[in-house]
């Protein structure tokens, strides 16, 4: 494992977080779905005054289709998960999977000291970082193994 990947785990979550797309509580389910399609996202954070008050996932919208006969009057407020699990921007990357597991979520809004939204971190971020670390570890093990012969 190289020092860059060790640093990845102790770096603040704000360095792993990506830009977050938000919507308002009164956005229609159709608007939410269209934004997810246009932005190629699986979630939207519902924000008020730049603070996360909910989160809507593509799964929430799919379940709304099954639960309601008429989606035309449904809004984010109707389908969102309120009070989403958040993580502070200064938490370390190693805290991220633990917080996800505790909250049983795949996406976590990242907030500052005032609770203001600064980004979003996803399970994909955790898996990609862990995968890079495992690849580096495998390289070290293979290079130090007597039986190891690189593919030509």
């Amino acid at each position: 494992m190289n020092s860059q990947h060790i640093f990845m785990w102790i770096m603040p979550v704000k360095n792993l977080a990506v830009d977050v797309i938000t919507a308002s509580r009164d956005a229609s389910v159709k608007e939410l779905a269209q934004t997810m399609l246009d932005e190629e996202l699986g979630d939207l954070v519902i924000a008020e005054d730049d603070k996360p008050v909910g989160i809507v996932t593509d799964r929430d919208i799919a379940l709304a289709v099954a639960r309601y006969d008429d989606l035309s009057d449904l809004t984010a407020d109707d389908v969102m998960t309120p009070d989403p699990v958040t993580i502070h921007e200064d938490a370390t990357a190693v805290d991220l999977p633990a917080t996800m597991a505790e909250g049983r979520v795949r996406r976590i809004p990242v907030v500052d000291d005032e609770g203001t939204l600064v980004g979003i971190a996803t399970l994909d971020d955790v898996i990609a970082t862990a995968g890079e670390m495992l690849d580096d570890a495998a390289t070290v093990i293979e290079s130090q193994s007597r039986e190891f012969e690189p593919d030509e």
Side-chain angles (χ1 to χ4, degrees):
M1 189 176 336
N2 69 34
S3 61
Q4 177 185 8
H5 288 137
I6 291 170
F7 177 70
M8 288 175 109
W9 284 110
I10 61 172
M11 82 167 71
V13 169
K14 67 182 169 192
N15 293 7
L16 290 176
V18 296
D19 290 340
V20 61
I21 305 293
T22 63
S24 66
R25 286 180 183 265
D26 61 352
S28 72
V29 169
K30 170 87 172 154
E31 291 170 329
L32 297 172
Q34 189 64 54
T35 300
M36 286 182 194
L37 178 65
D38 293 346
E39 299 291 334
E40 298 180 358
L41 297 172
D43 63 272
L44 292 170
V45 174
I46 308 306
E48 287 181 353
D49 300 322
D50 295 322
K51 292 180 174 42
V53 295
I55 191 164
V56 174
T57 66
D58 46 8
R59 183 175 190 272
D60 294 326
I61 293 173
L63 293 175
V65 170
R67 289 185 180 130
Y68 299 95
D69 293 328
D70 183 8
L71 302 179
S72 60
D73 292 331
L74 289 182
T75 65
D77 205 34
D78 297 315
V79 298
M80 73 180 188
T81 300
D83 302 316
V85 173
T86 62
I87 191 165
H88 191 274
E89 65 182 346
D90 291 333
T92 63
V94 76
D95 296 324
L96 193 54
T99 304
M100 288 176 170
E102 185 177 303
R104 300 179 67 195
V105 296
R106 299 172 53 107
R107 303 162 176 105
I108 297 185
V110 179
V111 296
D112 65 13
D113 289 335
E114 287 77 43
T116 302
L117 195 57
V118 297
I120 192 161
T122 69
L123 184 59
D124 294 351
D125 301 325
V126 173
I127 298 301
T129 301
E132 290 174 10
M133 291 175 62
L134 289 172
D135 188 46
D136 288 345
T139 299
V140 170
I141 290 168
E142 289 172 352
S143 68
Q144 294 178 357
S145 173
R146 291 179 192 208
E147 295 83 32
F148 177 70
E149 293 182 22
D151 293 332
E152 309 253 344

